[in-house]
Amino acid sequence: MAESKPRVAIIMGSDSDLPTMTAAAKILDEFGIEHTMRISSAHRTPKMTAALAEGLEDAGVKVAIVGAGLAAHLPGVIASLTTIPVIGVPMSGGGLQGLDALYSIVQMPGGVPVAAMSIGKHGAKNAAILAAQILALSDPAIRDQLQEFRERQTQGVEEKDRALTAGEL
Amino acid sequence: MAESKPRVAIIMGSDSDLPTMTAAAKILDEFGIEHTMRISSAHRTPKMTAALAEGLEDAGVKVAIVGAGLAAHLPGVIASLTTIPVIGVPMSGGGLQGLDALYSIVQMPGGVPVAAMSIGKHGAKNAAILAAQILALSDPAIRDQLQEFRERQTQGVEEKDRALTAGEL
Amino acid sequence: MAESKPRVAIIMGSDSDLPTMTAAAKILDEFGIEHTMRISSAHRTPKMTAALAEGLEDAGVKVAIVGAGLAAHLPGVIASLTTIPVIGVPMSGGGLQGLDALYSIVQMPGGVPVAAMSIGKHGAKNAAILAAQILALSDPAIRDQLQEFRERQTQGVEEKDRALTAGEL
Amino acid sequence: MAESKPRVAIIMGSDSDLPTMTAAAKILDEFGIEHTMRISSAHRTPKMTAALAEGLEDAGVKVAIVGAGLAAHLPGVIASLTTIPVIGVPMSGGGLQGLDALYSIVQMPGGVPVAAMSIGKHGAKNAAILAAQILALSDPAIRDQLQEFRERQTQGVEEKDRALTAGEL
Amino acid sequence: MAESKPRVAIIMGSDSDLPTMTAAAKILDEFGIEHTMRISSAHRTPKMTAALAEGLEDAGVKVAIVGAGLAAHLPGVIASLTTIPVIGVPMSGGGLQGLDALYSIVQMPGGVPVAAMSIGKHGAKNAAILAAQILALSDPAIRDQLQEFRERQTQGVEEKDRALTAGEL
Amino acid sequence: MAESKPRVAIIMGSDSDLPTMTAAAKILDEFGIEHTMRISSAHRTPKMTAALAEGLEDAGVKVAIVGAGLAAHLPGVIASLTTIPVIGVPMSGGGLQGLDALYSIVQMPGGVPVAAMSIGKHGAKNAAILAAQILALSDPAIRDQLQEFRERQTQGVEEKDRALTAGEL
Amino acid sequence: MAESKPRVAIIMGSDSDLPTMTAAAKILDEFGIEHTMRISSAHRTPKMTAALAEGLEDAGVKVAIVGAGLAAHLPGVIASLTTIPVIGVPMSGGGLQGLDALYSIVQMPGGVPVAAMSIGKHGAKNAAILAAQILALSDPAIRDQLQEFRERQTQGVEEKDRALTAGEL
Amino acid sequence: MAESKPRVAIIMGSDSDLPTMTAAAKILDEFGIEHTMRISSAHRTPKMTAALAEGLEDAGVKVAIVGAGLAAHLPGVIASLTTIPVIGVPMSGGGLQGLDALYSIVQMPGGVPVAAMSIGKHGAKNAAILAAQILALSDPAIRDQLQEFRERQTQGVEEKDRALTAGEL
């Protein structure tokens, strides 16, 4: 995990979110995008969260990926203190199995957007891909990698289809 | 609305919440509990909200009643910056008709509680009564008023029942 | 678990709620707040529940924490028979996984409030913290403990963040 | 509305439930089943509700039809204090449009049943029909009326079908 | 399980509902209420279901307890072909975990009622108790048993409360 | 509306469903597909419904379009008594705004399928198009009409797009 | 699994859907209906999916059975590019346990229908039966098989009922 | 509305989405960001949609804002055919009031992200702000405008708060 000059910050509210958010880090590693991972809670460390959010842009971070569960205020709180794009990932689990986190992340009122992803690991992975898509707008190398990623992804499905047709699945 | 030495702060994220939150103010007025009403948004005025929350206790406020809709982060954000009790009121309206606000307010993770009320005016009214119940623990005058309020409330239902039985409804 | 002169009563509808509600007792123990734990069902022991609720204030109880699952009428039933603050904790489990209990606890009609917490152990823990916050309004020792609790909590997150940054997680 | 020697009690938590619950009274009138209508709130008049519930059987009431909205504890509270059948009708309206009342009425824990009907007027009407079906078990006159009611109902649909086929709708 | 002269019929759509519906049979056994158990599917054996429903009354059955999952049409289909009271029990399980069955059973349109119970075993148990409550209206022996059942149930909770207070739980 | 030799039967549980189901009839008219419209209730006219379902195939009906609201058992009941394809349309309205009807129609257990459409008029329109698609498998004229329908539909969107681009919307 | 001259195409978005969709293949095998199984993703292989959809009719496919999970766009995407009937099967699993897939499949806007089945294996099985019902309209052999399938299904339930009555379950 | 050299494309599935999506256009106008508005349906004009999506990048479009209702496949379909960031806006309305569209947009499987916004006009407005935030990463002028927008927004709330405190609301 590259730590110097991170362009993406992955922030989560609790270390229990780490297994999910690691899926985002893996994709960024695959793309060679420098990133940092932080734990900061909207409710238990509000000042650290505010300082972190306010410092993102000066630290050169271009996109923040923020995971949170239950009431899941963290992505919105960070988005309120920076103007870089904030991508929110709802954690699954808890009595409402992530629906609470999803609503809390996606239903932001007009004025301060958060880009909501799907619940859990799918969402964490997609957050990293979306971050790459955003960075690719001004970084042709990432754009090329995205094209290759998409092609590999397409080939993966094609290979599964071939295997199924061949009776190998 | 008494403004000097407020013991309860009613805070809402938008002036569109005012018609609902006024139901809380009315009850506090009825009980003669000094209160203040403020508009401060978790996302559009995060610093004002932080300053407001951090100043509540020093200003002599004992209970905060906080209304918010949609992602409804305001009650949790305020609760993270004070240790006085915070009561959250989910606004109705929006595509999910208040269910998003309810989940976002009630599903606080362990460590920072928000006392969630029902959606809309019922909740705003109950927030004020709960604030009175909390203040009554160390203020016998409010306790007496609560007893009278409960009795009037009981009599109101009994009167409706009498009217129904008498064929007047 | 201190039993003499309890200031908080933890009440639950069934002994199957005990593993969840113990999370509330632990926090109160940590704060040195005397409490009692009772099992009383809104539906199976309505008279015992009424007697319990009506006797809370005279017994010196300042706050009631009430856990219930499924139709979860217990917090509302107790709140209807006392004017001390009642905090409701929805149990998870059952076909609707706690959503039924959440709705039944939080959607109280105007006039008789219940302070709803999140579903399950998070909610039980928060109920105890909220009880402490209410008691702290007239007990500076608890207020100090709350401050320390918050600080330890903050440090816990900061330590996790440090460990993550150091590659130890 | 026949008031002497009521065999069915229609109870509702608020006079705002009256327009819905009148649908039950109309059906009972149609069947000539004596009934009484009462307003009593689980939360605002808990003692009156308890007295009412405990007196049902001695008053000769065979079935209780109980309507309630929001947290909707009334049917369960009454069921806990009598062993006559209790039929619960969830009111529509409120932020959750009756879903809260439905869950609170239908999700009774094992031991104290409430017979839940559909939300709103359909449910109120069905509550009265179910009460008639219960009474019909020991009253052949009501059984005959139920048969006629069913036949009229069947004919009503058949007539609509005929009219549609004839191009009259 | 008494089979001669059954007063209650327990009907389920599939043998996979048997473990749940057995909870109803156990309660009826406890009360000494003769019952029969049948498997008949609304969709896979529509004619057998119709014949079964139409024959209930002549067979001396006073109450039908009907369990079903998923689309759960069975209780409504049986209710449409008899005028004895029909109690519906939604099975848990499936992608929607019983919510589909609950809606399908409880949301009957005006004219043909089904008495909906809670999802799963709680509901099956309550269905049998409600059947006993209905039969008790004209059978004093069952009424006495219901009183004893309620008392044992109350004592069970009181004993748990005593054990908790004594530190035995 | 052509009535002789109907190939599609549109069946609804109540005349209140007529404004919605007319959307299906209009599409069939547009395609020149003979159809009949009937009102028959699963619960209020179970025998007429059974007779209707059992007679569909002999009457030459190839596809049944069945609309129902609330518990919405009608499509499943008809599907259990015929082997021609049954398309179900959930009505909107009622306390759960069609979600109950949707679940009841779509969650059929394995063995007896119902093809569920979207809630309300969109679903009624699509039911007719799907019926046409099924008939088109053995009727080239309908297939040609479907192609033209699709083309007109495509052109309609293209025209709207052109108008928007031209600043006419 | 017969591969030559397939009349039904079973398409799924991922090989993780295979255990569910195999339930459809088994039923088609039982009926002797030639089918093909393909993996093609709406999002990861959009062009392959378009080519597959556009080629269905020319390949002689009469009905497409399409399974998808989460956002579940695959059935709608295929339906937009062919006029043969498309049957959609929502996969269970994911944070919303198939409810997302169900909504995405069933709530098609007017103009392009998808026939939605129930979530998971029940739905996959029913998709195959519905495909058989559609093919049976012009293939008497399949119609006969459907009749036999229904009869075996009926006998299966009757046998379970007999076993239960005989005390063998 | 500037049409030359658009950097943002606003795409919607139907002209009925125009009143909602205009909220996005207004914000982009305010920021002076060139944009184009298009109507293209995932289901009714799949080829036009594919062509549009595949041409976005070559046309110089940096961000696509895509609104859709009901099954709401349009954002995902466009995202599958481009690697520029796609922001999805769920339309409210329909039987499920936008919840279907929300799930369909936000629950994208891993590999192809869509940035989901809140339901309706709030979401359309936020989509434009997020697009501006993305463009601002390489366009300091937009970054300055975002700062000013945020400040005006903050001042707007502060002014409302001042007015409320002054008794002017």
Side-chain angles (χ1 to χ4, degrees):
Chain A
M1 202 190 308
E3 291 298 331
S4 60
K5 266 186 55 195
R7 288 194 284 175
V8 175
I10 300 174
I11 307 170
M12 65 205 81
S14 161
D15 62 316
S16 66
D17 305 336
L18 195 54
T20 302
M21 297 309 291
T22 297
K26 267 190 197 163
I27 292 283
L28 294 177
D29 282 339
E30 201 177 312
F31 283 11
I33 297 173
E34 310 82 358
H35 57 278
T36 183
M37 287 185 92
R38 299 293 302 273
I39 295 173
S40 188
S41 163
H43 301 122
R44 288 173 290 161
T45 59
K47 291 181 188 181
M48 174 175 152
T49 297
L52 183 56
E54 291 175 328
L56 287 171
E57 198 167 353
D58 285 349
V61 171
K62 303 299 184 198
V63 181
I65 294 173
V66 187
L70 297 170
H73 297 179
L74 190 61
V77 165
I78 287 175
S80 74
L81 290 163
T82 184
T83 56
I84 65 167
V86 174
I87 304 171
V89 183
M91 295 298 110
S92 65
L96 300 176
Q97 297 177 284
L99 193 58
D100 40 10
L102 173 57
Y103 285 179
S104 193
I105 289 172
V106 80
Q107 283 291 85
M108 288 292 286
V112 180
V114 169
M117 298 290 110
S118 51
I119 299 170
K121 285 202 177 178
H122 286 284
K125 184 180 174 186
N126 276 350
I129 299 171
L130 180 60
Q133 288 178 314
I134 290 170
L135 295 175
L137 292 175
S138 56
D139 184 334
I142 296 180
R143 191 163 48 189
D144 291 350
Q145 281 177 315
L146 271 168
Q147 293 293 357
E148 285 166 30
F149 174 83
R150 282 277 177 102
E151 276 158 33
R152 281 197 309 277
Q153 190 168 253
T154 298
Q155 287 162 8
V157 177
E158 288 169 349
E159 170 54 24
K160 291 282 187 187
D161 179 52
R162 194 205 54 71
L164 176 63
T165 304
E168 295 166 9
L169 291 189
Chain B
M1 201 190 309
E3 292 297 333
S4 60
K5 267 185 59 194
R7 286 195 283 175
V8 175
I10 300 175
I11 307 169
M12 65 205 81
S14 160
D15 61 317
S16 65
D17 305 337
L18 195 54
T20 301
M21 297 310 289
T22 297
K26 268 190 197 163
I27 291 284
L28 294 177
D29 282 339
E30 201 177 313
F31 283 10
I33 297 173
E34 310 82 358
H35 57 278
T36 182
M37 287 185 91
R38 300 294 302 273
I39 296 173
S40 188
S41 164
H43 302 121
R44 286 173 292 160
T45 59
K47 291 181 187 181
M48 174 176 151
T49 297
L52 184 54
E54 291 176 326
L56 287 171
E57 199 167 354
D58 285 349
V61 171
K62 303 299 184 197
V63 181
I65 294 173
V66 188
L70 297 169
H73 298 179
L74 191 61
V77 164
I78 287 176
S80 74
L81 290 163
T82 183
T83 55
I84 65 167
V86 175
I87 304 171
V89 183
M91 295 298 109
S92 64
L96 299 176
Q97 297 175 286
L99 194 58
D100 40 10
L102 173 57
Y103 285 178
S104 193
I105 288 172
V106 80
Q107 283 292 86
M108 289 291 287
V112 180
V114 169
M117 298 290 110
S118 50
I119 298 171
K121 285 200 177 178
H122 286 283
K125 183 181 174 185
N126 276 351
I129 299 171
L130 180 60
Q133 288 178 313
I134 291 170
L135 294 175
L137 292 175
S138 55
D139 184 334
I142 295 180
R143 189 162 50 185
D144 291 349
Q145 282 177 316
L146 271 169
Q147 294 291 359
E148 285 165 31
F149 174 83
R150 281 278 177 101
E151 276 158 34
R152 282 197 308 276
Q153 190 167 255
T154 298
Q155 287 162 9
V157 176
E158 287 168 350
E159 171 53 25
K160 291 284 187 186
D161 180 51
R162 194 206 54 74
L164 177 62
T165 303
E168 296 166 9
L169 291 189
Chain C
M1 202 189 306
E3 291 298 330
S4 59
K5 269 186 54 195
R7 288 195 283 176
V8 175
I10 301 174
I11 307 170
M12 66 205 80
S14 161
D15 62 316
S16 65
D17 306 336
L18 195 54
T20 301
M21 297 310 290
T22 297
K26 269 191 195 162
I27 291 283
L28 295 176
D29 282 339
E30 202 177 313
F31 284 11
I33 297 172
E34 310 81 358
H35 58 278
T36 182
M37 288 185 91
R38 300 293 302 274
I39 297 172
S40 189
S41 164
H43 301 121
R44 286 172 293 160
T45 59
K47 290 180 187 181
M48 174 174 151
T49 297
L52 183 55
E54 291 175 327
L56 287 171
E57 198 167 353
D58 285 349
V61 171
K62 304 299 184 198
V63 181
I65 294 172
V66 187
L70 297 170
H73 297 178
L74 191 61
V77 164
I78 287 176
S80 74
L81 290 163
T82 185
T83 56
I84 64 168
V86 174
I87 304 171
V89 182
M91 295 298 110
S92 64
L96 300 176
Q97 297 177 284
L99 193 58
D100 40 9
L102 173 57
Y103 285 178
S104 193
I105 288 172
V106 80
Q107 283 292 84
M108 288 293 285
V112 180
V114 169
M117 299 290 109
S118 50
I119 298 170
K121 285 200 177 178
H122 286 283
K125 183 180 175 185
N126 276 350
I129 299 171
L130 179 61
Q133 287 178 315
I134 291 170
L135 295 175
L137 292 175
S138 56
D139 184 335
I142 296 180
R143 189 163 49 187
D144 292 349
Q145 281 177 316
L146 271 169
Q147 293 293 359
E148 286 164 31
F149 175 83
R150 282 277 177 102
E151 276 158 34
R152 282 197 309 278
Q153 191 168 253
T154 298
Q155 287 161 10
V157 176
E158 287 168 351
E159 171 53 25
K160 290 283 186 187
D161 180 51
R162 194 204 56 71
L164 177 63
T165 304
E168 295 167 10
L169 292 188
Chain D
M1 202 190 307
E3 292 297 332
S4 60
K5 267 187 58 195
R7 287 195 282 175
V8 175
I10 300 174
I11 307 169
M12 65 205 80
S14 160
D15 62 315
S16 65
D17 305 338
L18 196 53
T20 301
M21 297 310 288
T22 298
K26 268 191 196 162
I27 291 283
L28 294 176
D29 281 339
E30 200 176 314
F31 283 11
I33 297 172
E34 310 82 359
H35 58 278
T36 184
M37 288 186 91
R38 300 293 303 273
I39 296 173
S40 189
S41 164
H43 302 121
R44 287 172 292 160
T45 60
K47 290 179 187 181
M48 174 176 151
T49 296
L52 184 54
E54 291 175 326
L56 287 172
E57 198 167 353
D58 284 350
V61 171
K62 303 299 184 197
V63 181
I65 294 173
V66 187
L70 298 169
H73 297 179
L74 191 60
V77 164
I78 287 176
S80 74
L81 290 162
T82 184
T83 56
I84 64 168
V86 174
I87 304 171
V89 182
M91 295 297 108
S92 64
L96 300 176
Q97 298 176 287
L99 193 58
D100 39 10
L102 173 57
Y103 285 178
S104 193
I105 288 172
V106 81
Q107 284 291 85
M108 289 292 286
V112 180
V114 169
M117 298 290 110
S118 50
I119 298 172
K121 285 200 177 177
H122 286 284
K125 183 181 175 185
N126 276 351
I129 299 171
L130 180 61
Q133 289 178 313
I134 291 170
L135 295 175
L137 293 175
S138 55
D139 184 334
I142 296 180
R143 188 162 52 188
D144 292 348
Q145 281 177 316
L146 271 168
Q147 294 292 358
E148 284 164 32
F149 174 83
R150 282 278 177 101
E151 275 158 35
R152 282 197 308 277
Q153 191 167 254
T154 298
Q155 287 161 9
V157 176
E158 287 168 353
E159 171 53 25
K160 291 283 188 187
D161 180 51
R162 196 205 53 73
L164 177 61
T165 303
E168 295 167 9
L169 292 189
Chain E
M1 202 189 310
E3 291 297 331
S4 60
K5 267 186 56 196
R7 287 195 281 175
V8 175
I10 300 174
I11 307 169
M12 64 204 81
S14 160
D15 62 316
S16 65
D17 305 337
L18 195 54
T20 302
M21 298 309 290
T22 298
K26 268 191 196 163
I27 292 283
L28 294 176
D29 281 339
E30 201 177 311
F31 283 11
I33 297 173
E34 310 81 359
H35 57 276
T36 183
M37 287 186 92
R38 300 294 303 274
I39 296 173
S40 189
S41 163
H43 301 122
R44 287 171 293 160
T45 59
K47 290 181 188 181
M48 175 176 152
T49 297
L52 183 55
E54 290 175 328
L56 288 170
E57 198 166 354
D58 285 349
V61 172
K62 304 299 183 196
V63 181
I65 294 173
V66 187
L70 297 169
H73 297 180
L74 190 61
V77 164
I78 287 176
S80 75
L81 291 163
T82 184
T83 57
I84 65 168
V86 174
I87 304 171
V89 182
M91 296 298 108
S92 63
L96 300 176
Q97 297 176 285
L99 193 58
D100 40 9
L102 173 57
Y103 285 178
S104 193
I105 288 172
V106 81
Q107 284 291 85
M108 288 292 286
V112 180
V114 169
M117 298 290 109
S118 50
I119 297 171
K121 284 200 178 179
H122 286 283
K125 183 181 175 186
N126 276 350
I129 299 170
L130 179 60
Q133 288 179 314
I134 291 170
L135 294 175
L137 292 175
S138 56
D139 185 335
I142 296 180
R143 189 162 49 187
D144 292 348
Q145 282 177 315
L146 271 168
Q147 293 293 357
E148 285 164 32
F149 174 84
R150 282 278 177 101
E151 276 157 35
R152 282 197 309 276
Q153 191 168 253
T154 298
Q155 287 161 9
V157 176
E158 287 168 352
E159 171 54 24
K160 291 284 187 185
D161 180 50
R162 195 205 54 73
L164 177 62
T165 303
E168 296 167 9
L169 292 188
Chain F
M1 202 190 306
E3 291 298 331
S4 59
K5 268 185 57 195
R7 286 195 284 177
V8 175
I10 300 174
I11 307 170
M12 64 205 80
S14 161
D15 61 316
S16 65
D17 305 337
L18 195 54
T20 301
M21 297 310 289
T22 298
K26 268 190 197 163
I27 291 282
L28 294 176
D29 282 339
E30 201 176 311
F31 283 11
I33 296 173
E34 309 82 359
H35 58 278
T36 183
M37 287 186 92
R38 299 295 302 273
I39 296 173
S40 188
S41 164
H43 302 120
R44 287 173 292 160
T45 59
K47 289 180 188 180
M48 175 176 151
T49 296
L52 184 54
E54 291 175 328
L56 288 171
E57 197 166 354
D58 285 350
V61 171
K62 303 300 184 197
V63 182
I65 294 173
V66 188
L70 297 169
H73 298 178
L74 191 60
V77 164
I78 287 176
S80 74
L81 290 162
T82 183
T83 55
I84 64 168
V86 174
I87 304 171
V89 182
M91 295 297 109
S92 64
L96 300 176
Q97 297 177 285
L99 193 59
D100 39 10
L102 173 56
Y103 285 178
S104 193
I105 289 172
V106 80
Q107 283 292 84
M108 290 292 287
V112 180
V114 169
M117 299 289 109
S118 51
I119 297 171
K121 285 200 178 178
H122 286 284
K125 183 180 175 186
N126 276 351
I129 299 171
L130 179 60
Q133 289 178 312
I134 291 169
L135 294 175
L137 292 175
S138 56
D139 184 335
I142 296 180
R143 188 162 51 187
D144 292 349
Q145 281 178 315
L146 271 169
Q147 293 292 358
E148 285 165 31
F149 175 84
R150 281 278 177 101
E151 276 158 34
R152 282 197 308 277
Q153 191 168 253
T154 298
Q155 287 162 9
V157 176
E158 287 168 351
E159 170 54 25
K160 291 283 186 186
D161 180 51
R162 193 205 54 73
L164 176 62
T165 304
E168 295 167 10
L169 291 189
Chain G
M1 201 191 308
E3 290 297 332
S4 60
K5 267 186 56 195
R7 287 194 282 175
V8 175
I10 300 175
I11 307 170
M12 65 205 81
S14 160
D15 61 317
S16 65
D17 306 336
L18 194 54
T20 301
M21 298 310 290
T22 297
K26 269 191 196 163
I27 291 283
L28 294 176
D29 282 339
E30 202 176 312
F31 283 9
I33 297 172
E34 310 81 358
H35 57 278
T36 183
M37 288 186 92
R38 300 293 303 274
I39 296 172
S40 189
S41 164
H43 301 122
R44 286 172 292 160
T45 59
K47 291 180 186 180
M48 174 175 151
T49 296
L52 183 54
E54 291 175 327
L56 288 171
E57 198 167 354
D58 285 349
V61 172
K62 303 299 183 197
V63 181
I65 294 173
V66 187
L70 296 169
H73 297 180
L74 190 61
V77 163
I78 288 177
S80 74
L81 290 162
T82 183
T83 56
I84 65 167
V86 173
I87 304 171
V89 182
M91 295 297 110
S92 64
L96 300 176
Q97 296 176 285
L99 193 58
D100 40 9
L102 173 57
Y103 285 179
S104 193
I105 289 172
V106 81
Q107 284 291 85
M108 289 292 286
V112 180
V114 169
M117 298 290 111
S118 50
I119 298 170
K121 285 200 177 177
H122 286 284
K125 184 181 174 185
N126 276 350
I129 298 171
L130 180 60
Q133 288 178 315
I134 291 170
L135 295 175
L137 292 175
S138 56
D139 184 334
I142 296 180
R143 189 162 51 187
D144 291 350
Q145 281 178 316
L146 271 168
Q147 294 292 358
E148 285 165 31
F149 174 83
R150 281 277 177 103
E151 275 158 35
R152 282 197 309 277
Q153 191 167 253
T154 298
Q155 288 163 7
V157 176
E158 287 168 352
E159 171 53 25
K160 291 283 187 187
D161 180 51
R162 194 205 56 70
L164 176 62
T165 303
E168 295 168 9
L169 291 189
Chain H
M1 201 189 310
E3 291 299 332
S4 59
K5 267 186 57 196
R7 287 195 282 175
V8 175
I10 300 174
I11 307 170
M12 66 204 81
S14 160
D15 62 317
S16 65
D17 305 337
L18 195 53
T20 301
M21 296 311 290
T22 297
K26 269 191 195 162
I27 291 283
L28 294 176
D29 282 339
E30 201 177 312
F31 283 11
I33 297 172
E34 309 83 356
H35 57 278
T36 182
M37 287 185 92
R38 300 293 303 271
I39 296 172
S40 188
S41 164
H43 301 121
R44 287 173 292 160
T45 59
K47 290 181 187 181
M48 175 175 151
T49 296
L52 183 54
E54 291 175 327
L56 287 171
E57 198 167 353
D58 285 349
V61 171
K62 303 298 184 198
V63 181
I65 294 173
V66 187
L70 297 169
H73 298 177
L74 191 61
V77 164
I78 288 176
S80 74
L81 290 163
T82 184
T83 56
I84 65 168
V86 174
I87 304 171
V89 182
M91 296 297 110
S92 64
L96 299 175
Q97 297 176 285
L99 194 58
D100 40 9
L102 173 57
Y103 285 178
S104 193
I105 289 172
V106 80
Q107 284 291 86
M108 289 292 287
V112 181
V114 169
M117 299 289 110
S118 51
I119 298 171
K121 284 202 178 177
H122 285 284
K125 183 181 175 185
N126 275 351
I129 299 172
L130 179 60
Q133 288 178 313
I134 291 170
L135 295 175
L137 292 175
S138 55
D139 184 334
I142 296 180
R143 189 163 50 187
D144 291 350
Q145 280 177 316
L146 271 169
Q147 293 292 0
E148 285 165 32
F149 174 84
R150 282 278 177 102
E151 276 159 34
R152 282 197 308 277
Q153 191 168 253
T154 298
Q155 287 161 8
V157 176
E158 287 168 351
E159 172 52 27
K160 291 283 186 187
D161 180 50
R162 194 206 54 73
L164 177 61
T165 303
E168 295 166 10
L169 291 188

